[in-house]
Amino acid sequence: AIKDTDKEVRKAAVEALGEMKTPEAVFGLIATLKDEDVEVRRAASGALRWMWPPLEAVPALLLALQDADARVRAHAAGALRWIKSPKAVPGLIAALKDTDKDVREAAVEALGEMKTPEAVPGLIGALKDEDVEVRRAASGALRWMHPAEAVPPLLLALHDADARVRENAAGAFRWIKAPPETAPDLMALLKDADKDVRKAAVEALGEMKTSEAIPGLMALIVDADKALRVAVMEALGKIEAVEATPHLIAALQDADINVRRTATHALYLVKPPEAVSALLVALRDSDSTVRRYAAWALRKIKSPQAVPGLIAALKDTDNDVRKAAVEALLAIKTLDVVPGLMVAFGDADKD
């Protein structure tokens, strides 16, 4: 039927093959990519786009990437996204300059999926594309590829009119070891109108561990968005911002487990002596991860005040909490810990 003289019959046959999604159907669809009728080629390329075609389809799809019809070209680029063949890279890079925005977007997405270094210059160029969807795709690809040479253009993308582009650009700086001079641009995004942009900037600044960001981060620690507050606490912990201690202590009482976990872990990183009492309460939290992080933090602080609570934690139902308590007691290095450790070891022997 795919060789029928009637184009409507061929199109119907192609659509049927697309529904079958079998290896035999794939090769039938590949053959129709050269059909004289554009509607048949569109149907064939569209079906292949979502069928994860085999490596053998690459030559035919590369030819389709040069089809006179933009939809066929876009479908071909979309299909190549899933094959991830190095042989397709040059053709996809060339497609970044296609006159059709959908083709360019599909090519960017394909190259981003492949994460090939050869595509980086082209993806950087796409950050300036006139179409917002192309810029979103390019910034998204670079976000997860995070090449060092993309730092200057990504800094410019932090000021893009589109929030998703700004978010992706900021997200890339979470992984790129960017120079300190990039921090001001990221700090400016802490006041962005879009909460996802603010969150991406927070995460990037946390990885950079820049103390200059502390005031801006502190302003967001009471933000209405819980996910953003959690990201802020993580960042402040990585920066070891002692200024955040009161807020982190207060967060230990939060009803949300993830908030309490993040606050406890941040206190472990900051290790403020004034948090000992609150951490001893956290050592009895209903969540074992919070209890373990509390023991970790008390190990860092090394306060004799924590000894009774840590000795009690030696009988915790969670093995990791008990281990963390032992390590904390050994770190404190006071004779007061000896009786508790002896009892703990004695109980272990009985087991």
Side-chain angles (χ1 to χ4, degrees), residues 129-284:
D129 197 280
E130 63 184 15
D131 183 75
V132 66
E133 295 298 337
V134 176
R135 298 199 308 277
R136 285 181 178 180
S139 58
L142 291 168
R143 178 175 188 169
W144 303 113
M145 292 172 69
H146 41 83
E149 61 267 39
V151 168
L154 284 170
L155 277 174
L156 292 175
L158 291 176
H159 303 280
D160 194 276
D162 181 70
R164 295 288 71 76
V165 175
R166 298 196 303 275
E167 178 195 353
N168 285 331
F173 284 107
R174 182 178 182 181
W175 312 111
I176 296 174
K177 292 184 178 179
E181 53 266 31
T182 61
D185 290 275
L186 287 165
M187 287 190 285
L189 292 185
L190 295 178
K191 296 181 179 180
D192 197 277
D194 186 276
K195 65 181 179 64
D196 293 324
V197 174
R198 297 198 300 273
K199 183 172 180 286
V202 165
E203 292 169 341
L205 289 166
E207 292 300 325
M208 292 175 70
K209 297 181 174 63
T210 174
S211 58
E212 290 83 1
I214 291 175
L217 291 169
M218 290 292 293
L220 294 176
I221 203 167
V222 292
D223 195 274
D225 184 74
K226 183 181 71 178
L228 182 57
R229 293 199 309 275
V230 167
V232 169
M233 287 190 288
E234 288 179 347
L236 289 167
K238 291 174 181 177
I239 299 172
E240 299 183 27
V242 294
E243 300 92 326
T245 299
H247 292 284
L248 296 174
I249 289 174
L252 295 178
Q253 304 298 319
D254 199 281
D256 187 89
I257 289 176
N258 193 38
V259 172
R260 298 200 307 277
R261 287 178 176 176
T262 305
T264 314
H265 192 265
L267 287 168
Y268 156 69
L269 295 172
V270 177
K271 48 186 183 298
E274 60 267 38
V276 170
S277 296
L279 288 166
L280 286 170
V281 174
L283 205 53
R284 301 191 298 273

Side-chain angles (χ1 to χ4, degrees), residues 7 22 56 65 67 103 135 140 162 166 175 181 245 269 300 330 346:
K7 66 178 184 179
T22 63
E56 291 83 354
L65 201 55
D67 195 278
V103 177
R135 298 199 308 277
D162 181 70
R166 298 196 303 275
W175 312 111
E181 53 266 31
T245 299
L269 295 172
K300 284 280 197 75
L330 290 173

